Amino acid sequence: MYEERLAGFAPTTAHPARTWNYWLGGKDNYEADREAGDAILEIYPEIADMARFQRAFLRRIIRYFTVDCGIRQFLDIGTGLPTADNTHEVAQRLAPEARVVYVDNDPIVLRHAEALLRSTPEGRTDYIEADLRDPGRILDEAARTLDFTQPVAITLLGVLLFIPGDDTVDAIMGRLRDVMAPGSHLALTHTTTAVGGGRTDDAAKEWNDNSPNPMVMRTPEHIRGYVRDLELLEPGIVPLTRWRPDPADASRTRDIDEFCAVARKP
């Protein structure tokens, strides 16, 4: 199965997951990814910090969901390439019985899925190769591991901007909200131009001119709509660096154009 999927990938074309890996200092990338990454760094050098800050945000929200909310089930959509402190590692350190399902449509992530499937004996992890534009399939397959009649934490970090069409995103988010049991939580991030303005637009244009996976910028108001009917948690729709930062990190962070929303199903 791996070989069949990998036969379709193009190492000569920049890919979001591999370029993000490059900005994080990883090694799972190709020359095309590094060239695209460097071109964007020249326009928008903050992108490397954005990658680090998003990883720190992931750690904070998984810790919050596990410790403060008592959640033991996680659906991580748009997983990306494994690095340190993946969702299951953070959750199962705090609650060994936690169950985690990862979802991505990148064949390179599929190749690394073994790293995502390491679990504590008490818990469980699973990986689904699927596209976010088919939420029904994702939910059906995730139900093999997760019980959607009980609270689940759903995360979509840096993935919605690669889904064109506002109606399409609205339909996807509606399907995910509908399946959430009371007490479930949803966390998402999305790139905006609210902080960087034209420079962020220029960086997105550079990417879109050189990748078959175009970015779609959206506003904080759009992000608020994706969690409608849910209880938006404080401090609201903000740059992810402002979402309950660790005290030791607060003085070293700054506003970036990656906004977040964390919300709860009442």
Side-chain angles (χ1 to χ4, degrees):
M1 181 179 67
Y2 284 15
E3 289 76 9
E4 292 175 2
R5 297 292 188 270
L6 288 170
F9 95 97
T12 57
T13 302
H15 189 280
R18 300 193 307 259
T19 305
W20 198 255
N21 175 266
Y22 171 59
W23 289 326
L24 281 171
K27 298 179 180 179
D28 294 305
N29 49 74
Y30 295 89
E31 183 177 356
D33 309 307
R34 295 188 288 273
E35 289 179 354
D38 287 340
I40 293 177
L41 282 168
E42 288 187 13
I43 299 169
Y44 194 74
E46 298 96 319
I47 193 71
D49 286 338
M50 188 182 293
R52 291 190 302 104
F53 292 154
Q54 181 159 286
R55 202 70 194 176
F57 174 72
L58 172 67
R59 291 193 292 268
R60 293 200 305 278
I61 60 170
I62 298 303
R63 185 174 66 226
Y64 171 76
F65 292 153
T66 306
V67 176
D68 295 76
C69 306
I71 292 177
R72 297 295 182 266
Q73 302 189 106
F74 301 84
L75 180 58
D76 182 333
I77 303 175
T79 301
L81 288 162
T83 60
D85 281 342
N86 300 292
T87 296
H88 74 284
E89 294 170 327
V90 177
Q92 291 180 347
R93 266 201 307 268
L94 300 166
E97 71 276 22
R99 295 185 168 211
V100 179
V101 174
Y102 292 101
V103 183
D104 207 290
N105 69 340
D106 179 8
I108 294 297
V109 178
L110 175 67
R111 189 181 71 182
H112 290 270
E114 182 180 353
L116 298 170
L117 297 178
R118 296 171 184 164
S119 174
T120 57
E122 305 93 327
R124 185 174 171 186
T125 64
D126 196 7
Y127 178 84
I128 301 169
E129 187 199 9
D131 195 298
L132 178 55
R133 285 165 287 200
D134 189 358
R137 178 188 167 196
I138 290 172
L139 296 172
D140 287 345
E141 294 197 26
R144 298 179 311 207
T145 302
L146 308 178
D147 178 2
F148 284 102
T149 69
Q150 300 298 315
V152 176
I154 302 175
T155 59
L156 301 105
L157 307 190
V159 62
L160 292 176
L161 79 160
F162 294 107
I163 305 293
D166 291 342
D167 290 344
T168 301
V169 178
D170 282 338
I172 291 168
M173 297 308 298
R175 183 72 180 86
L176 296 177
R177 293 194 305 270
D178 287 345
V179 80
M180 293 168 63
S184 294
H185 285 65
L186 173 66
L188 65 90
T189 68
H190 201 300
T191 309
T192 79
T193 60
V195 176
R199 290 195 311 112
T200 309
D201 267 334
D202 290 344
K205 184 178 185 303
E206 173 67 29
W207 174 265
N208 292 348
D209 287 345
N210 294 282
S211 172
N213 302 282
M215 300 178 181
V216 179
M217 299 292 105
R218 295 186 173 96
T219 67
E221 290 73 24
H222 277 107
I223 297 170
R224 179 65 182 90
Y226 300 151
V227 295
R228 60 180 176 271
D229 305 324
L230 303 180
E231 176 189 351
L232 181 64
L233 302 185
E234 293 296 335
I237 310 297
V238 293
L240 58 80
T241 51
R242 289 188 176 271
W243 200 89
R244 307 186 186 188
D246 293 330
D249 296 334
S251 63
R252 299 198 299 269
T253 60
R254 60 183 185 279
D255 287 353
I256 58 172
D257 258 323
E258 193 73 5
F259 275 55
C260 69
V262 182
R264 175 183 179 273
K265 182 77 168 279

